[in-house]
Amino acid sequence: MSAREAILARLREATADVTTPVGARGEVPTISAAPASAAGTLDLFVDNVADYRATVVRCAPDRVGAEVAAALARGRAHAVLVPDGLEATWVEPSQAAGMWLRRDAGEDGSPLSPGALDEIDAVVTAARVGIATTGTIVLDHTEDQGRRALTLVPDQHVCVIRADQVVHDVPEAVALLDPARPLTWISGPSATSDIELDRVEGVHGPRVLDVVVVG
């Protein structure tokens, strides 16, 4: 028996007594950890995001632009992609510092090609929700985040998330998400250890992740 056949046989054995049709099984049970406090949830989120080798800073709303510019400077970014719906004040200091802000539009108005995206150093986006227990940030690619490719091709991603967007556990986050939208779940910079267990960053997405937590 092959490994595939063995796995399928065990699945059939485990589900042999399930007779209730799909859609009539009642509420799906979930297990979630209770937050100690809102402040504790935010501290846990910051600790877990940093544990993934992301750089995390916390700031007041009027400091977002300065922190975004500082993150881009650390990454030596010059060409920076800005989604159309992003808060303009978040990137004004970067533009004043001489960085080249680009919209997701070519000369003919169509979205940038993969080749053009590959020439971009960094992207700045907002976020939909953050999850404290896993240190995960979820994007749902609304206008302040742009389409999915924008956060996968550039080598640096600067993500701004408000404190009130951070929830404690995964079930709370899932309840806030629209399953019909494209979703990107980010836990640290893109990395893999598939080959010889050697960690390689930047294979499937940005090599550098900077997170600005507001509030």
Side-chain angles (χ1 to χ4, degrees), residues 156-189:
Q156 182 185 17
H157 181 188
V158 181
C159 185
V160 180
I161 184 168
R162 301 190 315 271
D164 63 4
Q165 290 180 296
V166 177
V167 299
H168 194 75
D169 212 345
V170 175
E172 295 173 75
V174 171
L176 296 174
L177 298 172
D178 179 354
R181 294 197 60 81
L183 301 174
T184 301
W185 296 59
I186 301 168
S187 296

Side-chain angles (χ1 to χ4, degrees), residues 32-191:
S32 61
S37 65
T41 291
L42 193 57
D43 289 342
L44 180 63
F45 174 74
V46 170
D47 289 346
N48 284 338
V49 172
D51 195 46
Y52 282 119
R53 302 188 187 182
T55 300
V56 189
V57 296
R58 298 172 67 168
C59 70
D62 62 350
R63 289 284 304 164
V64 173
E67 295 297 347
V68 168
L72 293 171
R74 285 195 301 273
R76 301 179 183 276
H78 173 62
V80 180
L81 192 58
V82 179
D84 289 341
L86 193 76
E87 169 61 45
T89 59
W90 291 358
V91 289
E92 286 175 352
S94 302
Q95 188 170 33
M99 296 176 197
W100 180 33
L101 305 188
R102 290 207 62 181
R103 300 289 178 183
D104 182 24
E107 293 182 357
D108 61 355
S110 60
L112 294 176
S113 67
L117 286 177
D118 197 37
E119 296 175 355
I120 301 292
D121 301 312
V123 60
V124 181
T125 74
R128 176 64 184 92
V129 65
I131 306 170
T133 55
T134 61
T136 302
I137 295 167
V138 185
L139 310 181
D140 64 359
H141 300 286
T142 47
E143 288 190 347
D144 57 3
Q145 300 151 45
R147 60 191 172 102
R148 197 159 187 262
L150 308 192
T151 54
L152 294 177
V153 180
D155 203 38
Q156 182 185 17
H157 181 188
V158 181
C159 185
V160 180
I161 184 168
R162 301 190 315 271
D164 63 4
Q165 290 180 296
V166 177
V167 299
H168 194 75
D169 212 345
V170 175
E172 295 173 75
V174 171
L176 296 174
L177 298 172
D178 179 354
R181 294 197 60 81
L183 301 174
T184 301
W185 296 59
I186 301 168
S187 296
S190 171

Side-chain angles (χ1 to χ4, degrees), residues 23-30:
R25 297 174 185 169
E27 187 175 346
V28 177
T30 60

